[in-house]
Amino acid sequence: MVLVLLAAVLFAGSRWLGRDSAELRLMEQASPTPGRNAFAALWLMPYDIPPDEIEAIAAQDVRRFAARDPADTSEFVSSAEGRYPRAADSSGGSPEWCDWRGNGCLAHVRANRDALAKALAERAPVIDRMRALSGVGHHRDLFKPVVHRPLSIPIGTYSRELLTAQALTVVDGDAAGAMADLCTTVSTWRPLAANSDSLIATMLAMSIVESSSRLLADVLAEQPDGQPIPSTCKTAYVPPVPAEYLPCTAMRGELGLVDGAAKTMDREALENPWGWLVYDRQMTRVRTANHLAHSCKREVQEAALRGEPVTVPWAGGLATPLCAGNLAGCLVTEIAAPAYTDYLHRTQDHAARLQAMELLLRLHENTDDRSYGERLAAMPADSIPTGRKIEVVDTDGGEALRLELFWQGQGRYWEVPLTAPTDPAVSPPPTGGGA
């Protein structure tokens, strides 16, 4: 009897104490929305729609999705389908587009110039729409946050097509034009990486900036030092702002998405006569916020600016008093928590890559007789990514700038060339879907 009473007290205390937190209040604050929302342009990217009709069609789609039966899990298709020409899926073709990281892109396009030029000519409208994104300032997904929300950024392949087109411009003799175009791409996607309420959109934006930077480095490596660098590149690689070091805005959007999924769990728990004993939506929301809020805390942001790797703190596992009244909710959040540290580290690496690329531009602008390593050693301390190991290293094909990463899921270093490889075979071939 005593044990039953103690269990009841623990359960009641857990339910009472776990309904609010400073972290939840922090995550409920609105993030800045600078400039124009890219949502409509990204969602309708596959369709050849007159520019002055895009916002209205996107708004109509948002209303249609909001009015859908929550139980409807079928694919949601834009009202533009069948009314406007749609770019066909071009993945899996041959020859392939440049890969999503930009590896070996120039060598690949040189080896397949005619076939890729023909394929790109057929894709000109969608590539033009990718370029037309220039000037957007943020991304807010306007579809209501539910489990089966449509992916509003169906452009992974299109970014690779644009990268391939930019490499073709180099191959066809206009390196300066290609560099200007690449730097415009970087300037376009940096604000979206910093100001998107979607982790998927944030990671995609960072990958586009990375691949564009890698191709830009490849192009610069083929130019003589002292060659004029387009002014757009100076703008593209201005020092990162605090929002580019940690994905606070994306984490706030993630909380909304997780809460949308929690509504479904809440309904299922209510349908089960005992479900309410192991699941509470508000407590799950609080615990999720406690994981996600780390990137929005001022002291954590200051640590990121100092170059310290930021990790999501452990919440104590399932054996905590607050899980006594929400075991299922704790289990769900505990499974998801480790992935969030990876997102923090990848964002910190994104900021460091931007700084590394600004260094690379300086190294190429310098025309004295010192080696790249000596030039790097003479750079002002405030131009070096804080807390990072960055160095000039010898490679099989020449010299490269190497940055040590926090997230090492695809290698310990990010490395871009300073000199062109003497053997084209040194460049790795693209991987993934293609033309």
Side-chain angles (χ1 to χ4, degrees):
M1 183 64 184
V2 174
L3 290 178
V4 172
L5 182 59
L6 287 174
V9 171
L10 181 61
F11 178 84
S14 172
R15 286 284 170 101
W16 181 66
L17 292 173
R19 309 198 72 76
D20 192 19
S21 70
E23 286 79 6
L24 178 61
R25 292 191 294 273
L26 176 63
M27 297 307 284
E28 288 176 334
Q29 295 176 15
S31 292
T33 54
R36 178 165 55 92
N37 190 358
F39 167 79
L42 294 176
W43 164 243
L44 295 172
M45 183 65 67
Y47 301 96
D48 190 4
I49 301 172
D52 60 351
E53 297 180 28
I54 290 176
E55 294 290 341
I57 294 173
Q60 180 183 2
D61 288 344
V62 170
R63 291 192 297 271
R64 287 175 52 237
F65 185 72
R68 283 221 312 183
D69 182 348
D72 185 352
T73 61
S74 62
E75 181 184 6
F76 180 78
V77 178
S78 171
S79 57
E81 187 70 30
R83 296 167 54 195
Y84 299 93
R86 178 188 173 96
D89 180 7
S90 66
S91 60
S94 179
E96 299 176 344
W97 304 121
C98 289
D99 84 0
W100 64 274
R101 299 190 73 194
N103 291 316
C105 184
L106 275 179
H108 174 65
V109 174
R110 285 193 173 107
N112 299 278
R113 190 264 169 212
D114 292 345
L116 286 170
K118 180 180 178 181
L120 287 167
E122 297 172 355
R123 309 292 288 179
V126 75
I127 293 173
D128 289 343
R129 292 197 289 276
M130 284 290 291
R131 288 191 170 106
L133 283 170
S134 178
V136 296
H138 69 278
H139 172 258
R140 289 294 179 276
D141 195 324
L142 301 181
F143 289 123
K144 66 178 181 180
V146 294
V147 176
H148 301 291
R149 179 167 71 175
L151 184 64
S152 65
I153 45 171
I155 62 168
T157 302
Y158 305 149
S159 66
R160 294 172 51 215
E161 293 174 26
L162 175 58
L163 193 71
T164 306
Q166 291 162 332
L168 180 64
T169 302
V170 179
V171 171
D172 286 351
D174 186 9
M179 287 193 290
D181 195 10
L182 284 162
C183 290
T184 298
T185 300
V186 171
S187 293
T188 297
W189 287 91
R190 277 186 65 176
L192 301 187
N195 299 301
S196 173
D197 66 348
S198 160
L199 273 176
I200 294 176
T202 297
M203 295 300 118
L204 174 65
M206 290 193 303
S207 75
I208 291 174
V209 171
E210 178 185 357
S211 61
S212 300
S213 297
R214 186 180 296 279
L215 179 54
L216 176 64
D218 288 342
V219 178
L220 281 168
E222 296 185 350
Q223 313 305 309
D225 283 345
Q227 189 85 353
I229 295 174
S231 60
T232 53
C233 294
K234 304 290 183 64
T235 304
Y237 293 104
V238 295
V241 298
E244 292 179 286
Y245 283 84
L246 289 174
C248 174
T249 298
M251 290 300 187
R252 282 179 170 145
E254 183 74 2
L255 177 62
L257 193 59
V258 171
D259 191 43
K263 291 179 182 178
T264 301
M265 288 188 65
D266 204 29
R267 287 195 298 269
E268 293 174 352
L270 290 174
E271 291 172 0
N272 187 315
W274 302 105
W276 65 275
L277 288 172
V278 295
Y279 179 76
D280 182 272
R281 177 187 164 197
Q282 180 62 15
M283 293 181 69
T284 302
R285 193 164 183 262
V286 169
R287 189 174 174 86
T288 301
N290 292 348
H291 288 307
L292 300 179
H294 205 55
S295 61
C296 296
K297 293 180 177 179
R298 179 174 297 178
E299 64 273 19
V300 177
Q301 294 172 341
E302 291 172 351
L305 292 173
R306 293 194 299 268
E308 300 173 14
V310 173
T311 60
V312 175
W314 186 53
L318 302 181
T320 62
L322 292 181
C323 287
N326 187 36
L327 186 60
C330 284
L331 181 61
V332 170
T333 55
E334 198 70 17
I335 291 171
Y340 293 127
T341 290
D342 289 345
Y343 288 126
L344 302 190
H345 287 174
R346 290 170 71 175
T347 308
Q348 290 185 270
D349 289 340
H350 166 69
R353 279 193 296 268
L354 293 172
Q355 294 172 287
M357 284 300 298
E358 197 271 339
L359 274 176
L360 183 137
L361 295 182
R362 290 195 191 189
L363 292 173
H364 280 295
E365 284 182 315
N366 197 319
T367 57
D368 61 32
D369 294 331
R370 293 176 298 173
S371 69
Y372 284 119
E374 291 170 331
R375 296 181 204 175
L376 178 62
M379 288 289 179
D382 62 1
S383 67
I384 306 297
T386 306
R388 298 296 186 124
K389 182 180 180 181
I390 187 167
E391 58 188 336
V392 174
V393 297
D394 293 327
T395 65
D396 292 338
E399 290 181 288
L401 189 65
R402 174 185 284 178
L403 171 73
E404 189 169 21
L405 302 173
F406 289 159
W407 183 70
Q408 299 182 0
Q410 292 176 333
R412 182 177 178 183
Y413 301 103
W414 189 70
E415 191 173 292
V416 287
L418 287 163
T419 58
T422 54
D423 180 1
V426 169
S427 297
T431 58

PDB file of all heavy atoms in Angstrom, residues 180-191:
ATOM      1  N   ALA A 180      31.786  34.325 -60.273  1.00  0.00           N
ATOM      2  CA  ALA A 180      30.767  35.287 -59.847  1.00  0.00           C
ATOM      3  C   ALA A 180      29.447  34.581 -59.582  1.00  0.00           C
ATOM      4  O   ALA A 180      28.752  34.872 -58.591  1.00  0.00           O
ATOM      5  CB  ALA A 180      30.595  36.371 -60.901  1.00  0.00           C
ATOM      6  N   ASP A 181      29.092  33.632 -60.445  1.00  0.00           N
ATOM      7  CA  ASP A 181      27.847  32.886 -60.283  1.00  0.00           C
ATOM      8  C   ASP A 181      27.895  32.019 -59.031  1.00  0.00           C
ATOM      9  O   ASP A 181      26.930  31.955 -58.253  1.00  0.00           O
ATOM     10  CB  ASP A 181      27.619  32.026 -61.525  1.00  0.00           C
ATOM     11  CG  ASP A 181      26.188  31.492 -61.625  1.00  0.00           C
ATOM     12  OD1 ASP A 181      25.325  31.946 -60.846  1.00  0.00           O
ATOM     13  OD2 ASP A 181      25.940  30.624 -62.490  1.00  0.00           O
ATOM     14  N   LEU A 182      29.018  31.353 -58.794  1.00  0.00           N
ATOM     15  CA  LEU A 182      29.170  30.511 -57.604  1.00  0.00           C
ATOM     16  C   LEU A 182      29.057  31.344 -56.331  1.00  0.00           C
ATOM     17  O   LEU A 182      28.408  30.932 -55.355  1.00  0.00           O
ATOM     18  CB  LEU A 182      30.519  29.791 -57.644  1.00  0.00           C
ATOM     19  CG  LEU A 182      30.616  28.608 -58.606  1.00  0.00           C
ATOM     20  CD1 LEU A 182      32.076  28.254 -58.882  1.00  0.00           C
ATOM     21  CD2 LEU A 182      29.868  27.398 -58.055  1.00  0.00           C
ATOM     22  N   CYS A 183      29.670  32.503 -56.325  1.00  0.00           N
ATOM     23  CA  CYS A 183      29.625  33.344 -55.125  1.00  0.00           C
ATOM     24  C   CYS A 183      28.228  33.915 -54.898  1.00  0.00           C
ATOM     25  O   CYS A 183      27.808  34.111 -53.754  1.00  0.00           O
ATOM     26  CB  CYS A 183      30.663  34.455 -55.236  1.00  0.00           C
ATOM     27  SG  CYS A 183      32.367  33.817 -55.098  1.00  0.00           S
ATOM     28  N   THR A 184      27.488  34.158 -55.987  1.00  0.00           N
ATOM     29  CA  THR A 184      26.092  34.571 -55.839  1.00  0.00           C
ATOM     30  C   THR A 184      25.276  33.448 -55.207  1.00  0.00           C
ATOM     31  O   THR A 184      24.399  33.691 -54.362  1.00  0.00           O
ATOM     32  CB  THR A 184      25.494  34.965 -57.199  1.00  0.00           C
ATOM     33  OG1 THR A 184      26.212  36.086 -57.725  1.00  0.00           O
ATOM     34  CG2 THR A 184      24.031  35.334 -57.068  1.00  0.00           C
ATOM     35  N   THR A 185      25.564  32.205 -55.592  1.00  0.00           N
ATOM     36  CA  THR A 185      24.886  31.059 -54.979  1.00  0.00           C
ATOM     37  C   THR A 185      25.165  31.006 -53.481  1.00  0.00           C
ATOM     38  O   THR A 185      24.260  30.785 -52.669  1.00  0.00           O
ATOM     39  CB  THR A 185      25.341  29.744 -55.637  1.00  0.00           C
ATOM     40  OG1 THR A 185      25.030  29.772 -57.037  1.00  0.00           O
ATOM     41  CG2 THR A 185      24.649  28.541 -55.004  1.00  0.00           C
ATOM     42  N   VAL A 186      26.416  31.217 -53.099  1.00  0.00           N
ATOM     43  CA  VAL A 186      26.769  31.225 -51.678  1.00  0.00           C
ATOM     44  C   VAL A 186      26.007  32.326 -50.942  1.00  0.00           C
ATOM     45  O   VAL A 186      25.434  32.105 -49.873  1.00  0.00           O
ATOM     46  CB  VAL A 186      28.294  31.398 -51.502  1.00  0.00           C
ATOM     47  CG1 VAL A 186      28.649  31.635 -50.026  1.00  0.00           C
ATOM     48  CG2 VAL A 186      29.033  30.175 -52.033  1.00  0.00           C
ATOM     49  N   SER A 187      25.975  33.521 -51.534  1.00  0.00           N
ATOM     50  CA  SER A 187      25.267  34.646 -50.910  1.00  0.00           C
ATOM     51  C   SER A 187      23.773  34.383 -50.802  1.00  0.00           C
ATOM     52  O   SER A 187      23.111  34.867 -49.874  1.00  0.00           O
ATOM     53  CB  SER A 187      25.506  35.935 -51.705  1.00  0.00           C
ATOM     54  OG  SER A 187      26.854  36.331 -51.629  1.00  0.00           O
ATOM     55  N   THR A 188      23.225  33.627 -51.750  1.00  0.00           N
ATOM     56  CA  THR A 188      21.793  33.303 -51.733  1.00  0.00           C
ATOM     57  C   THR A 188      21.450  32.342 -50.611  1.00  0.00           C
ATOM     58  O   THR A 188      20.442  32.515 -49.901  1.00  0.00           O
ATOM     59  CB  THR A 188      21.377  32.686 -53.076  1.00  0.00           C
ATOM     60  OG1 THR A 188      21.565  33.650 -54.122  1.00  0.00           O
ATOM     61  CG2 THR A 188      19.920  32.239 -53.055  1.00  0.00           C
ATOM     62  N   TRP A 189      22.285  31.325 -50.413  1.00  0.00           N
ATOM     63  CA  TRP A 189      21.939  30.248 -49.498  1.00  0.00           C
ATOM     64  C   TRP A 189      22.433  30.453 -48.079  1.00  0.00           C
ATOM     65  O   TRP A 189      21.924  29.812 -47.149  1.00  0.00           O
ATOM     66  CB  TRP A 189      22.427  28.917 -50.064  1.00  0.00           C
ATOM     67  CG  TRP A 189      21.583  28.489 -51.214  1.00  0.00           C
ATOM     68  CD1 TRP A 189      21.775  28.771 -52.540  1.00  0.00           C
ATOM     69  CD2 TRP A 189      20.360  27.756 -51.147  1.00  0.00           C
ATOM     70  NE1 TRP A 189      20.758  28.247 -53.301  1.00  0.00           N
ATOM     71  CE2 TRP A 189      19.869  27.615 -52.471  1.00  0.00           C
ATOM     72  CE3 TRP A 189      19.625  27.194 -50.094  1.00  0.00           C
ATOM     73  CZ2 TRP A 189      18.685  26.945 -52.764  1.00  0.00           C
ATOM     74  CZ3 TRP A 189      18.450  26.524 -50.378  1.00  0.00           C
ATOM     75  CH2 TRP A 189      17.992  26.401 -51.705  1.00  0.00           C
ATOM     76  N   ARG A 190      23.392  31.340 -47.873  1.00  0.00           N
ATOM     77  CA  ARG A 190      23.819  31.608 -46.493  1.00  0.00           C
ATOM     78  C   ARG A 190      22.674  32.112 -45.610  1.00  0.00           C
ATOM     79  O   ARG A 190      22.500  31.614 -44.476  1.00  0.00           O
ATOM     80  CB  ARG A 190      24.987  32.608 -46.486  1.00  0.00           C
ATOM     81  CG  ARG A 190      26.335  31.978 -46.732  1.00  0.00           C
ATOM     82  CD  ARG A 190      27.468  32.981 -46.582  1.00  0.00           C
ATOM     83  NE  ARG A 190      27.604  33.492 -45.211  1.00  0.00           N
ATOM     84  CZ  ARG A 190      28.575  34.324 -44.821  1.00  0.00           C
ATOM     85  NH1 ARG A 190      29.476  34.751 -45.717  1.00  0.00           N
ATOM     86  NH2 ARG A 190      28.645  34.733 -43.563  1.00  0.00           N
ATOM     87  N   PRO A 191      21.863  33.082 -46.052  1.00  0.00           N
ATOM     88  CA  PRO A 191      20.743  33.512 -45.196  1.00  0.00           C
ATOM     89  C   PRO A 191      19.739  32.398 -44.917  1.00  0.00           C
ATOM     90  O   PRO A 191      19.126  32.365 -43.848  1.00  0.00           O
ATOM     91  CB  PRO A 191      20.095  34.648 -46.004  1.00  0.00           C
ATOM     92  CG  PRO A 191      21.148  35.112 -46.943  1.00  0.00           C
ATOM     93  CD  PRO A 191      21.951  33.902 -47.275  1.00  0.00           C
TER      94      PRO A 191
END
